[in-house]
Amino acid sequence: MISLKPLATSPDTQLRNLGWDWMLGQDTLPYLTNEVVIVTPTEADAYYEAANELFEMMVAAGQHVIDNNRFAELGIPANLVELIKLSWDDDRNIHLYGRFDLAGGIDGKGIKLIEFNADTATCLPETAVVQYAHLKANGLDESQQFNAVFETLTGQFEELLALNPDLQPTLLLSAMRGFPEDDANVALIGEAAREAGFDIEFDFIDNVEFSNEEGIFWQNPKNGQFEKMDFWFKLVPWESIAEEESELTSLLTAISRKRLGVVLNPAYTLLFQSKYILKILWELYPHHPLLLETDTKPLAGKACVEKVLFGREGANVRILNADGSERQAADGEYGEYNKIYQEYVDFPQDSAGRIFQAGVFYAGEACGLGFRRGGLILDNSAGFVGHIVS
């Protein structure tokens, strides 16, 4: 059973000051809880070590996919392959950040990789700022948390500047319209970049201009002039760009090839984002203690989870019993993608039977822990629960 500690004073005031009212649940159930998960120092260290090891394994798996031309198996659109290879072969294109979703780790059970949100990971504000604010609001010390997300992300941007001295430190950050949660994630990333020395601007993706001869441009609303931006962060999935914006994919490939700009996260992160990478990992590291068996067909005699290659927030997930019967299923808009089957594993639970999934952010190294709490299939109704190391 998971151990929880109530913290009486909520961080609501801090959140409203940040403009993050969407977290407070006026129209829905509150997204944030007033309690935190108790994690021991040993457990926190284990999460840190697991994420670092898993990233190294991901890199080896990505290299295997490239060396053996297995892009199609991963569901990678053919028009993105050149850009993936270009970004992979150029060490100046570092992976900025991602989030490992993990089972176990706090209930005496081993940590297991569920998936890696490598391309457009969210939950950054909750992990980096909100749970920290929750601790401080209750008079607790920041050292009682595995949480260096903001500082580590800032370090990644400093590394980007050091690796790309031929480019201007101009960064445009973009998300899609109508998603305040995405805006909050982008704002936090922008603050880390500003701290590292970037000049930053924000604009929605439909306002950004691209040229295969000149690069990436932002229109300054103050004077109407288009200004070149040498770095572009987009909280838009690579598979969506490749499938729905083939012309943009071609432009970004040309921009990368001609060294006219750097896109974050790099295109190669789609190798890690595809859930087929879980099968590749099992091929390369069979029975590794951090992995769950994964295949392209249901696992004989074992309960398993059916996942689409590019699903999000629990959409199109089915949990199958050992006899192949369906235990639970979620609808979604990703049903056209191919599927993988991952061995089912129990998650830690509280006394109310709610499950807890750990999320460990990785930005050059593991840097922060948070938890999502909900039902058997975690969806966009799941809450965020912070932690305290005690």
Side-chain angles (χ1 to χ4, degrees), residues 196-253:
F198 276 88
D199 297 322
I200 66 167
E201 300 293 350
F202 299 91
D203 212 337
F204 294 111
I205 187 170
D206 52 283
N207 277 348
V208 186
E209 294 289 327
F210 304 90
S211 164
N212 60 6
E213 296 296 334
E214 297 180 78
I216 301 166
F217 290 84
W218 169 77
Q219 188 172 21
N220 189 330
K222 294 177 182 175
N223 56 22
Q225 298 296 307
F226 282 96
E227 299 175 4
K228 186 175 187 299
M229 309 297 284
D230 282 0
F231 296 82
W232 183 47
F233 174 86
K234 45 105 210 126
L235 200 66
V236 183
W238 272 112
E239 73 271 17
S240 298
I241 293 174
E243 292 163 2
E244 301 167 17
E245 302 287 347
S246 58
E247 184 179 350
L248 176 56
T249 306
S250 297
L251 288 169
L252 292 174
T253 303

Side-chain angles (χ1 to χ4, degrees), residues 115-255:
E115 57 198 49
F116 186 28
N117 299 276
D119 180 19
T120 55
T122 55
C123 279
L124 265 174
E126 299 93 308
T127 307
V129 178
V130 175
Q131 63 173 344
Y132 166 81
H134 201 186
L135 274 195
K136 300 299 281 185
N138 286 273
L140 298 170
D141 191 82
E142 62 197 70
S143 65
Q144 293 178 267
Q145 207 168 69
F146 169 25
N147 183 5
V149 174
F150 187 81
E151 298 86 345
T152 312
L153 197 54
T154 300
Q156 286 289 85
F157 279 113
E158 290 171 346
E159 177 78 358
L160 268 171
L161 287 179
L163 289 170
N164 295 276
D166 56 317
L167 299 179
Q168 294 298 308
T170 51
L171 172 67
L172 178 63
L173 301 108
S174 299
M176 293 185 286
R177 293 179 188 274
F179 297 94
E181 179 187 353
D182 288 358
D183 296 344
N185 278 271
V186 168
L188 187 141
I189 291 164
E191 284 307 307
R194 194 198 308 273
E195 186 90 6
F198 276 88
D199 297 322
I200 66 167
E201 300 293 350
F202 299 91
D203 212 337
F204 294 111
I205 187 170
D206 52 283
N207 277 348
V208 186
E209 294 289 327
F210 304 90
S211 164
N212 60 6
E213 296 296 334
E214 297 180 78
I216 301 166
F217 290 84
W218 169 77
Q219 188 172 21
N220 189 330
K222 294 177 182 175
N223 56 22
Q225 298 296 307
F226 282 96
E227 299 175 4
K228 186 175 187 299
M229 309 297 284
D230 282 0
F231 296 82
W232 183 47
F233 174 86
K234 45 105 210 126
L235 200 66
V236 183
W238 272 112
E239 73 271 17
S240 298
I241 293 174
E243 292 163 2
E244 301 167 17
E245 302 287 347
S246 58
E247 184 179 350
L248 176 56
T249 306
S250 297
L251 288 169
L252 292 174
T253 303
I255 286 168

